[in-house]
Amino acid sequence: MSKKRKWDDDYVRYWFTCTTEVDGTQRPQCVLCNSIFSNADLRPSKLSDHFNRQHGGVGGHDLNSLKHMPAPSDQRETLKAFGVASHEDALLQASYQFAYLCAKEKNPHTIAEKLVKPCALEIAQIVLGPDAQKKLQQVPLSDDVIHSRIDEMSQDILQQVLEDIKASPLKVGVQLAETTDMDDCSQLMAFVRYIKEREIVEEFLFCEPLQLTMKGKDAFNLFRDFFLKHKIALDVCGSVCTDGASSMLGENSEFVACVKKEVPHIMITHCLLNPHELVTKTLPTKLRDALFTVVRVINFIKGRAPNHRLFQAFFEEIGIEYSVLLFHTEMRWLSRGQILTHIFEMYEEINQFLHHQSSNLVDGFENKEFKVHLAYLADLFKHLNELSASMQRTGMNTVSAREKLSAFVRKFPFWLKRIEKRNFTNFPFLEEIIVSDNEAASIGAEITLHLQQLNSFFHGYFSVGDLDEASKWILDPFLFNLDFVDDGYLMKNDLAELRASGQILMEFETMKLEDFWCAQFTVFPSLAKTALQILVPFATTYLCELGFSSLLHFKTKSRSCFNMNDDIRVAISKKVPRFSDIIEQKLQLQQKSL
């Protein structure tokens, strides 16, 4: 690790002052143009070179003369009173705004000084003239400056989120998921859901690497340490929704055991967004073999560069739409459903390509039984994709998600009855290729067995079911039958009073369910608290899946050593940095250092 250089008061002779980062690193800043340099530049030769080249001045100032220069604070305050930003404020504002856009667009920090600023200077020179170019030249946009700006904005956003968490009237919900980046480093990502004013807010919490091992205990330590670091008790969490390996973040994992030991009454839920893996585990042998054949065919085409190029050329020649296949993956579950549909729709063309390449996969691929199994799998996974897509949204709560899963499972008996009558209406791809009664009877028996197993697994794994009758007032307090509520239930009087209000009825009909109960916190706090304890917990880790997609933009081959926690927070958070406060604090630190 390189040695950090220290500030010397003698450096003021080159019109430089010192800025100190959060970690104590000292960096020189030019008083004349506000440019901030790295710690490595904190030496007389570098400072003198900048002063002579950029400002052409004569050195020789001492600390006392610089300290007694007229302070710009009076001028800044006067301009601020008239709603006009001072020159320093404008330069900092421009720098922070660009850094914010850079993070939002997930661009590398070097894009400012290597591309954007040179282009802006050329445009200013051509369109606005040399004076405008000189003004733009003073905007600090170096790699280090952009990095520093993003760190400061990230800390401001995090501070806003932590303040909201502390002020939330109810315990917060957390969703947690783990993935591995391109450097084989395990990343733990978390989002939080809490109540602020009259709405439920979802926000990014953190994305931290698991440094050594990837056990449930390690995930818990990282999770707990985040709250301890920011002086928040872990029992502020009322629920945690997890996704990932069962040994690490599953319902019976070491992570869950540690969390429950620390917070005994916490609610633990598992992501309801991945029924595809459960379906695969329940597949009979022949259907599983058909799925594996599809995987081998894709690997044969995509895993070898010559085959992939020939495959694309072949499809362009015959004018087929799908020239590029998606990779089958375990973690990105939507890929599997799309691949099966594409393979079925391109069955004849892929079969021709395998023949052309003399592949040993031809015999299994062109088997009639395989095609029948492929059609069923494509139909089934298409249904699963539609189910999962319906739960892919922000604000999805456990009640809505379980209702969707329950509705899906309730279709199984109707499907089974139709299959008994050789009616494959619910499986259009399969219906398209079934031509004989023998084929229908054979595949019908396999489908019946699979759907029966799937039905029992869905009930056990996802605990599909509605709220108990006494709690269904949460969904609709106006149509709910109060006879289901015990007379000793303390909130029965509140329910009766709420139902009598026409204004509250209008609010219920025009607002989302979660927002409606948030709005009742001041009038019926007990009802609102009980309802929101059901509605606040996460049902899926959808936000983490979105975050992992953003992670791909930040962690690339050219940015593999990059610590992306601050960048990803600025990029995907809904919070906007408090620019005026950040700039004011920055200028105050500069004034103190003079």
Side-chain angles (χ1 to χ4, degrees), residues 77-266:
E77 293 300 326
T78 303
L79 290 173
K80 189 183 294 184
F82 285 99
V84 179
S86 68
H87 184 60
E88 286 184 342
D89 287 355
L91 293 176
L92 283 174
Q93 180 76 16
S95 179
Y96 277 102
Q97 286 290 353
F98 179 84
Y100 182 64
L101 294 175
C102 181
K104 278 293 183 183
E105 294 300 320
K106 309 175 184 66
N107 285 319
H109 301 166
T110 54
I111 195 173
E113 60 180 345
K114 289 186 176 180
L115 178 62
V116 175
K117 190 170 183 178
C119 290
L121 292 175
E122 288 294 331
I123 294 171
Q125 170 70 24
I126 296 170
V127 179
L128 302 174
D131 291 340
Q133 186 187 39
K134 288 180 181 179
K135 289 182 179 180
L136 283 179
Q137 180 68 47
Q138 297 178 26
V139 179
L141 291 178
S142 68
D143 180 14
D144 290 337
V145 168
I146 297 300
H147 181 75
S148 174
R149 301 284 189 260
I150 291 175
D151 288 352
E152 292 168 9
M153 290 186 290
S154 171
Q155 292 305 309
D156 181 73
I157 290 172
L158 176 60
Q159 190 61 35
Q160 292 183 59
V161 173
L162 295 176
E163 290 171 1
D164 289 348
I165 290 174
K166 293 175 182 177
S168 177
L170 281 183
K171 293 186 176 183
V172 304
V174 176
Q175 66 171 257
L176 206 65
E178 172 267 337
T179 191
T180 303
D181 62 26
M182 60 164 293
D183 288 334
D184 294 329
C185 177
S186 183
Q187 300 283 346
L188 189 68
M189 187 174 291
F191 282 77
V192 64
R193 179 185 281 172
Y194 55 84
I195 298 170
K196 183 181 181 182
E197 297 174 352
R198 297 185 57 169
E199 63 177 346
I200 293 179
V201 179
E202 296 175 344
E203 264 299 341
F204 175 82
L205 196 58
F206 66 80
C207 178
E208 297 286 351
L210 293 164
Q211 301 291 352
L212 299 175
T213 57
M214 296 181 289
K215 300 178 181 178
K217 181 71 173 178
D218 301 317
F220 169 74
N221 288 337
L222 197 156
F223 177 68
R224 179 195 58 192
D225 291 347
F226 174 83
F227 285 93
L228 291 177
K229 177 182 176 182
H230 298 288
K231 299 179 181 180
I232 298 178
L234 195 60
D235 62 4
V236 74
C237 301
S239 62
V240 175
C241 180
T242 63
D243 189 23
S246 58
S247 59
M248 185 173 179
L249 294 176
E251 288 184 296
N252 300 314
S253 66
E254 186 179 16
F255 170 82
V256 171
C258 291
V259 171
K260 286 188 173 181
K261 182 178 179 181
E262 194 85 12
V263 189
H265 302 295
I266 196 169

Side-chain angles (χ1 to χ4, degrees), residues 102-109 181-182 545-560 562 564 567-568 571-572:
C102 181
K104 278 293 183 183
E105 294 300 320
K106 309 175 184 66
N107 285 319
H109 301 166
D181 62 26
M182 60 164 293
E545 290 287 343
L546 289 180
F548 293 150
S549 298
S550 297
L551 193 64
L552 298 176
H553 294 276
F554 289 111
K555 207 68 179 285
T556 62
K557 290 182 179 180
S558 59
R559 305 171 81 184
S560 58
F562 172 61
M564 72 221 115
D567 281 68
I568 201 169
I572 65 181

Side-chain angles (χ1 to χ4, degrees), residues 310 314 351-359:
L310 289 170
F314 174 73
N351 192 27
Q352 291 179 39
F353 180 77
L354 294 176
H355 272 286
H356 185 268
Q357 296 300 108
S358 302
S359 171

Side-chain angles (χ1 to χ4, degrees), residues 348-584:
E348 296 298 334
E349 291 77 16
I350 293 176
N351 192 27
Q352 291 179 39
F353 180 77
L354 294 176
H355 272 286
H356 185 268
Q357 296 300 108
S358 302
S359 171
N360 57 6
L361 298 172
V362 170
D363 292 339
F365 191 80
E366 66 181 0
N367 185 283
K368 176 64 176 177
E369 187 179 51
F370 165 78
K371 188 174 183 180
V372 172
H373 291 154
L374 173 63
Y376 167 67
L377 290 173
D379 285 323
L380 180 61
F381 278 95
K382 187 175 181 180
H383 287 305
L384 291 170
N385 278 359
E386 292 171 353
L387 170 65
S388 296
S390 69
M391 294 189 288
Q392 284 189 88
R393 64 175 179 84
T394 57
M396 176 59 66
N397 57 64
T398 54
V399 175
S400 299
R402 292 190 188 280
E403 282 180 345
K404 291 180 181 294
L405 279 169
S406 181
F408 180 74
V409 174
R410 286 172 183 173
K411 297 176 184 178
F412 289 176
F414 305 125
W415 293 356
L416 289 170
K417 289 180 180 179
R418 293 190 182 110
I419 289 170
E420 288 177 6
K421 300 176 181 178
R422 307 293 186 265
N423 181 351
F424 297 98
T425 303
N426 300 110
F427 303 92
F429 289 148
L430 186 60
E431 186 179 38
E432 180 183 323
I433 64 170
I434 291 291
V435 294
S436 67
D437 291 338
N438 290 335
E439 288 178 347
S442 175
I443 189 64
E446 293 182 53
I447 293 175
T448 299
L449 176 62
H450 182 229
L451 291 181
Q452 288 173 345
Q453 290 179 341
L454 195 59
N455 184 47
S456 60
F457 269 85
F458 258 94
H459 279 88
Y461 190 78
F462 291 116
S463 303
V464 177
D466 298 325
L467 291 170
D468 59 88
E469 289 296 331
S471 300
K472 286 188 176 180
W473 58 266
I474 295 172
L475 304 179
D476 192 336
F478 294 94
L479 295 180
F480 175 71
N481 188 348
L482 285 177
D483 292 337
F484 288 112
V485 179
D486 187 86
D487 290 335
Y489 192 50
L490 296 178
M491 288 183 286
K492 191 170 184 177
N493 291 337
D494 289 341
L495 276 172
E497 185 178 346
L498 181 145
R499 290 157 67 105
S501 172
Q503 181 180 352
I504 295 179
L505 174 60
M506 290 177 61
E507 292 179 358
F508 180 77
E509 292 175 343
T510 56
M511 301 172 68
K512 293 193 300 184
L513 184 63
E514 298 90 340
D515 294 342
F516 168 76
W517 284 117
C518 286
Q520 306 312 312
F521 236 112
T522 55
V523 186
F524 300 102
S526 298
L527 290 177
K529 182 178 180 180
T530 302
L532 290 170
Q533 283 175 342
I534 301 296
L535 299 175
V536 166
F538 284 106
T540 71
T541 55
Y542 171 60
L543 294 176
C544 287
E545 290 287 343
L546 289 180
F548 293 150
S549 298
S550 297
L551 193 64
L552 298 176
H553 294 276
F554 289 111
K555 207 68 179 285
T556 62
K557 290 182 179 180
S558 59
R559 305 171 81 184
S560 58
C561 298
F562 172 61
N563 184 1
M564 72 221 115
N565 187 33
D566 292 316
D567 281 68
I568 201 169
R569 175 177 287 111
V570 177
I572 65 181
S573 174
K574 298 175 184 176
K575 295 283 187 184
V576 177
R578 295 169 290 195
F579 290 106
S580 58
D581 293 345
I582 297 174
I583 292 172
E584 184 68 27

